[in-house]
């Protein structure tokens, strides 16, 4: 069974970066989900799909997968560029366009 090791991106709903420092190891789905005909709930026979392990570093997650013989795919995070801005830049004299209301 294939696992995926990644670091989650920040959510689009907030500007903070909480819960983005840890690395996650989760298993890819082994079987398709099915719909229960009586209740309409979705179900699965894949129990490993419920497992989600967190690690402090990428190396710890990779070492765990290799130690337990888990095939994995490593996804490197895409770092957002750091753009330094200051409120005073709105009033700078070297602006390309004049700042007005």
């Amino acid at each position: 069974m294939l696992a995926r090791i990644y670091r989650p991106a920040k959510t689009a709903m907030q500007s903070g970066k909480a819960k983005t420092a840890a690395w996650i190891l989760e298993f890819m789905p082994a079987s398709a989900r099915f719909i229960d005909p009586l209740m309409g709930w979705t179900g699965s026979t894949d129990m490993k799909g419920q497992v989600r392990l967190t690690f402090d570093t990428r190396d710890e997650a990779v070492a765990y997968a290799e130690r337990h013989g888990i095939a994995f795919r490593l996804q490197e995070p895409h770092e957002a560029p750091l753009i330094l801005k200051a409120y005073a830049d709105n009033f700078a004299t070297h602006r390309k366009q004049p700042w007005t209301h």
Side-chain angles (χ1 to χ4, degrees):
M1 173 166 276
L2 184 66
R4 180 172 71 134
I5 298 174
Y6 67 99
R7 196 171 81 194
K10 73 178 196 69
T11 63
M13 303 304 284
Q14 300 176 10
S15 61
K17 294 185 178 181
K19 300 182 183 178
T20 62
W23 286 80
I24 308 290
L25 183 143
E26 66 182 10
F27 292 95
M28 302 298 277
S31 61
R33 294 184 180 260
F34 59 87
I35 298 175
D36 183 87
L38 179 62
M39 299 298 290
W41 296 343
T42 58
S44 176
T45 58
D46 181 22
M47 297 304 289
K48 287 189 178 180
Q50 299 176 10
V51 176
R52 187 174 187 181
L53 303 173
T54 59
F55 299 93
D56 291 331
T57 64
R58 176 181 58 116
D59 296 332
E60 289 178 9
V62 170
Y64 178 86
E66 290 174 347
R67 185 171 52 244
H68 292 283
I70 300 169
F72 64 92
R73 187 180 74 210
L74 183 65
Q75 289 182 328
E76 293 292 336
H78 300 286
E79 296 294 331
L82 181 62
I83 301 171
L84 297 176
K85 295 181 183 179
Y87 181 69
D89 291 339
N90 291 332
F91 307 101
T93 57
H94 64 276
R95 287 180 55 92
K96 294 180 183 174
Q97 296 177 355
W99 184 80
T100 59
H101 287 304

